[in-house]
Amino acid sequence: MRHYTIKDFKGDFPNDEACLEWLKNAKYPNGIFCDKCQKVTKHYRLAKRPAYSCEICGNNVYPMVGTILEKSATSLSTWFHAMFLMANTRCGISAKQLQRETGVTYKTAWRMFRQIRSMLGDDVST
Ligand SMILES: [Zn+2]
């Protein structure tokens, strides 16, 4: 199997929009179930918010809610970049390296580092 490289990653996730779309598809593989309509309905992308709106009733769905991305001021594409780096670096990557690669502050890098590590299910004691 071919290795998934940073170049592939940048092609798949060129911006926040692509990341949000991926997140939506990962979270709702069979379409978005509308709580108000009580069925899977068509949802369209809202222009000004990271949300999708039900075509029938207008109920909004935020794919980031309930994930580590929900209350973060860091852009989705930066999070995805960090997750790519951490998932693909065999011998582990430090928060400092994460800071260098993604261009965020050390504080942000450290926070992402801890949250992604717990999400990936790595042994936190190491
Ligand atoms: Zn609806």
Side-chain angles (χ1 to χ4, degrees):
M1 206 174 84
R2 206 173 135 269
H3 187 62
Y4 187 79
T5 65
I6 186 71
K7 207 176 157 211
D8 297 325
F9 170 78
K10 288 195 166 156
D12 286 346
F13 303 102
N15 49 38
D16 289 350
E17 193 57 45
C19 296
L20 186 69
E21 189 67 20
W22 184 92
L23 200 65
K24 184 201 70 172
N25 292 334
K27 202 168 177 182
Y28 311 101
N30 304 312
I32 301 174
F33 183 89
C34 177
D35 283 337
K36 284 199 181 152
C37 299
Q38 285 294 303
K39 62 178 181 181
V40 173
T41 60
K42 272 198 175 173
H43 284 66
Y44 62 90
R45 176 77 174 87
L46 281 180
K48 289 186 177 141
R49 278 179 281 178
Y52 294 83
S53 188
C54 173
E55 230 173 43
I56 298 166
C57 71
N59 192 38
N60 294 345
V61 164
Y62 293 80
M64 284 190 271
V65 169
T67 73
I68 56 172
L69 309 157
E70 184 182 357
K71 291 191 179 85
S72 177
T74 308
S75 76
L76 263 184
S77 48
T78 301
W79 272 101
F80 273 61
H81 187 189
M83 284 188 250
F84 168 83
L85 292 170
M86 290 185 68
N88 283 272
T89 310
R90 201 172 282 270
C91 47
I93 185 170
S94 68
K96 191 79 195 161
Q97 284 172 291
L98 211 57
Q99 176 197 7
R100 210 178 303 134
E101 295 284 336
T102 59
V104 298
T105 63
Y106 183 72
K107 200 178 150 195
T108 300
W110 171 239
R111 204 164 41 89
M112 288 199 297
F113 179 81
R114 283 183 47 190
Q115 288 180 300
I116 294 169
R117 194 163 65 170
S118 70
M119 188 185 69
L120 292 175
D122 283 7
D123 187 355
V124 186
S125 66
T126 55

